[in-house]
Amino acid sequence: MQIVRYSHSGAAPQYGWVFEGKVGPLEGSPFEAFKRGGAQHALEEVHLLAPVTPSKIICVGRNYVAHAQEHDVDVPEVPLLFLKPPSSLIGPGETILLPPQTQRVEHEAELAVVVGRRSRWLNPETAREAILGYTIANDVTARDLQRRDGQWTRGKGFDTFCPVGPWVETEFDPADAVITCSVNGELRQMGSTRDMVFPVLQLLAYASSVMTLEPGDILLTGTPAGVGPLVDGDELLSSIEGLGELRNPVKAEPAH
Ligand code: MG
């Protein structure tokens, strides 16, 4: 099932589900009991939002060998965790803003795991039960600031630096799916989730040994090789086989 958050004709955002190109409401919560309402609107008629509203966005650095190599760093011995603030979240079609403080913003297409239930101390077996589904994300990064600061809060944390969507797919198998990232139609990144250093269930278990995972929290699982710059006017397309496509325009933010 594909779970979305959407707004129609300016109404308040609500959860919905997608069936054959149409959207219907989800009555109840996707994290608890719900009923599927009848499909009401064509997908193009609704405004899709980021599919969940996370209390935190957990990320994993250097989880693909080829990406670590392109930055001339070693793969970590345990998962390298960092956070993006919920204020960095945007949805499908929303604009990524290039802040005036940076000269180098880069794309990082990533598989994102959506947490389905409150969890602590998961193991790779129980982690499966804690997952609602999967979606596409891009861990947009101000590379110059990430390097200059020595830690990543600023470089990874600007508003609009976490596009996510278009929906949460509950039936997805993360073992071997192709991830691609294109800019203006030019292919920049292509990899497979099978090349993760630490697989999804191990990452979720590890994160849950540090912090309580809440329903709707998102875990970004790292990016394959090929990261590169974004400039004003670009059209970013992140895609994962079985999850669809996430499109976001890119604009320079004026100095304030
Ligand atoms: Mg990343």
Side-chain angles (χ1 to χ4, degrees):
M1 184 173 71
Q2 294 165 346
I3 298 171
V4 293
R5 274 181 73 245
Y6 70 101
S7 165
H8 184 259
S9 299
Q14 64 182 123
Y15 285 103
W17 64 294
V18 179
F19 181 71
E20 293 184 344
K22 291 200 162 164
V23 179
L26 269 191
E27 292 156 17
S29 161
F31 306 105
E32 293 165 27
F34 63 82
K35 280 199 310 193
R36 299 180 206 190
Q40 289 179 332
H41 308 293
L43 199 49
E44 304 79 56
E45 289 171 19
V46 304
H47 178 210
L48 288 184
L49 307 164
V52 284
T53 56
S55 77
K56 53 190 167 297
I57 302 166
I58 309 166
C59 305
V60 181
R62 302 171 192 165
N63 199 34
Y64 288 76
V65 174
H67 172 59
Q69 285 171 342
E70 72 182 345
H71 284 161
D72 201 20
V73 291
D74 292 331
V75 169
E77 290 178 12
V78 294
L80 174 59
L81 298 184
F82 63 96
L83 295 168
K84 287 167 98 80
S87 47
S88 65
L89 191 77
I90 58 172
E94 282 195 76
T95 302
I96 298 165
L97 293 173
L98 306 175
Q101 300 98 315
T102 167
Q103 308 305 313
R104 178 83 179 188
V105 173
E106 295 190 344
H107 53 79
E108 298 188 1
E110 308 199 3
L111 173 67
V113 186
V114 178
V115 174
R117 61 171 74 155
R118 190 162 218 256
S119 312
R120 187 88 208 279
W121 293 110
L122 297 168
N123 61 49
E125 286 75 47
T126 56
R128 194 182 303 277
E129 310 301 312
I131 295 172
L132 176 68
Y134 295 84
T135 188
I136 306 165
N138 206 296
D139 175 20
V140 179
T141 302
R143 195 71 68 199
D144 50 350
L145 304 185
Q146 180 194 22
R147 295 205 169 111
R148 190 183 309 161
D149 288 355
Q151 48 85 1
W152 303 358
T153 302
R154 191 167 62 133
K156 298 280 194 179
F158 283 97
D159 284 4
T160 75
F161 270 25
C162 193
V164 171
W167 42 63
V168 179
E169 173 56 74
T170 60
E171 307 300 321
F172 179 75
D173 178 357
D176 184 10
V178 174
I179 301 183
T180 64
C181 185
S182 302
V183 178
N184 307 327
E186 177 197 332
L187 184 65
R188 295 271 190 87
Q189 295 185 264
M190 185 161 74
S192 168
T193 56
R194 70 165 180 262
D195 295 326
M196 286 185 192
V197 177
F198 301 102
V200 165
L201 298 178
Q202 198 175 333
L203 291 174
L204 204 64
Y206 185 80
S208 79
S209 74
V210 179
M211 58 191 88
T212 301
L213 307 180
E214 300 287 355
D217 282 355
I218 303 177
L219 176 84
L220 273 60
T221 56
T223 198
V227 300
L230 294 170
V231 299
D232 185 39
D234 278 349
E235 287 287 331
L236 179 64
L237 171 63
S238 315
S239 78
I240 298 180
E241 184 186 13
L243 294 181
E245 295 179 342
L246 174 65
R247 293 174 184 273
N248 298 93
V250 178
K251 290 267 176 287
E253 182 184 12
H256 293 271

